[in-house]
Amino acid sequence: MPKPTKGPRLGGGPAHERHIMANLATALFEHGRITTTQAKARRLRPLAEKLITKAKKGDMHNRRQVLTVVRDKGVVHTLFTEIAPMFAERPGGYTRITKIGNRKGDNAPMAVIELVREPMQAKVTTGRVATPAAAEAPAAAAAEAANEEAKTETVEAPEAGDQPAEGATSAQTEEATEVEQAEGDAKPETKA
Amino acid sequence: MAVPKRKMSRSNTRSRRAQWKTSAPVLVRCPQCRDPKLPHIACPTCGTYNRRQVVEPSA
């Protein structure tokens, strides 16, 4: 069962909120980006993304379901023929909300909600995994630094509040194998 | 209707209002134009957020 929306409805009641959300969604699909209050943008995002998901399926049933929210047939047409193919590669996250500060007049926090038009790029997370060679140099440097820290820690006291496990293990190991072990220690550090 | 029994003294009024304090907003540097701006909000000077143009610069 979907989790009910917390807090009061936008506008004067549930029906008013439905109208507001339908109008906002229509405007978003018509113009690509709209400026509204943060609260409305954050309510609009899940609705708009669900409509885009329906549009990506693209059959008549889904089109009728979208038409129950977005009443404008022209806008629904653009949604199905232009916006949905744009998001064919993208697995969700079709909209972007950027805060733009408070409105003059009533100090309401405003935001821009827009369709994400940038083409999908390779995942950013692959940068960490796919470049172990690039990570070697800083990892080695970090390992040396860790060794030095471990030595100083052994001299001073076992305070080591930040990196207790790494410092302790590298300190207990012998001097010859220290570098390799430190590299082994440093690699999970880069992953984390 | 319930009403105050006594006049609020100037002292009490001013003691209460002495607690109304302002606080300086937290500001960060815009990576694009180096102007101070509010964090997590598009820069009002150059209109960018994370170097992406979001709004028109406000004059």
Side-chain angles (χ1 to χ4, degrees):
Chain A
M1 182 181 166
K3 194 174 184 180
T5 310
K6 276 192 181 176
R9 305 284 89 78
L10 301 172
H16 192 184
E17 167 161 308
R18 280 196 296 274
H19 277 110
I20 291 173
M21 301 315 292
N23 289 336
L24 283 172
T26 309
L28 176 66
F29 295 137
E30 187 178 351
H31 299 286
R33 58 179 290 159
I34 54 174
T35 305
T36 179
T37 60
Q38 266 184 41
K40 283 176 189 157
R42 294 175 71 166
R43 291 280 182 88
L44 174 62
R45 188 213 286 258
L47 174 71
E49 301 207 350
K50 277 166 193 158
L51 293 179
I52 292 171
T53 305
K54 285 195 172 70
K56 280 171 78 172
K57 289 172 185 162
D59 54 0
M60 187 51 73
H61 171 64
N62 283 299
R63 186 181 287 259
R64 283 175 182 145
Q65 287 208 312
V66 170
L67 269 166
T68 61
V69 178
V70 181
R71 295 287 179 171
D72 191 327
K73 278 185 185 172
V75 173
V76 171
H77 180 72
T78 56
L79 173 65
F80 274 69
T81 56
E82 292 169 24
I83 296 172
M86 193 166 73
F87 292 131
E89 303 285 312
R90 191 173 287 276
Y94 310 119
T95 57
R96 175 192 291 138
I97 296 176
T98 312
K99 298 170 191 169
I100 57 169
N102 294 359
R103 177 162 60 190
K104 197 173 179 179
D106 64 352
N107 214 26
M110 301 296 285
V112 168
I113 180 167
E114 57 188 332
L115 302 174
V116 179
R117 296 194 181 277
E118 287 84 0
M120 281 288 284
Q121 298 174 349
K123 275 193 176 179
V124 183
T125 52
T126 58
R128 293 180 197 162
V129 181
T131 56
E136 280 291 329
E144 288 176 6
N147 286 340
E148 289 177 3
E149 282 179 6
K151 285 172 189 170
T152 56
E153 278 166 11
T154 50
V155 171
E156 289 169 3
E159 51 185 18
D162 293 334
Q163 303 164 342
E166 293 178 8
T169 52
S170 61
Q172 285 163 6
T173 51
E174 297 172 5
E175 289 285 324
T177 60
E178 227 171 25
V179 175
E180 296 175 1
Q181 292 234 347
E183 280 184 359
D185 287 342
K187 279 174 183 173
E189 188 183 17
T190 53
K191 283 174 187 172
Chain B
M1 192 178 81
V3 291
K5 187 169 189 177
R6 297 260 174 227
K7 175 179 177 170
M8 185 90 163
S9 71
R10 271 185 296 203
S11 166
N12 274 337
T13 303
R14 289 169 182 175
S15 295
R16 186 179 69 251
R17 288 182 187 166
Q19 302 304 317
W20 298 358
K21 292 164 189 164
T22 58
S23 60
V26 177
L27 294 176
V28 296
R29 291 265 167 206
C30 172
Q32 191 77 13
C33 66
R34 298 281 157 204
D35 265 19
K37 73 176 192 71
L38 291 170
H40 306 292
I41 287 178
C43 176
T45 313
C46 61
T48 61
Y49 187 76
N50 278 349
R51 297 185 182 279
R52 184 169 42 77
Q53 195 71 36
V54 179
V55 288
E56 303 277 314
S58 62

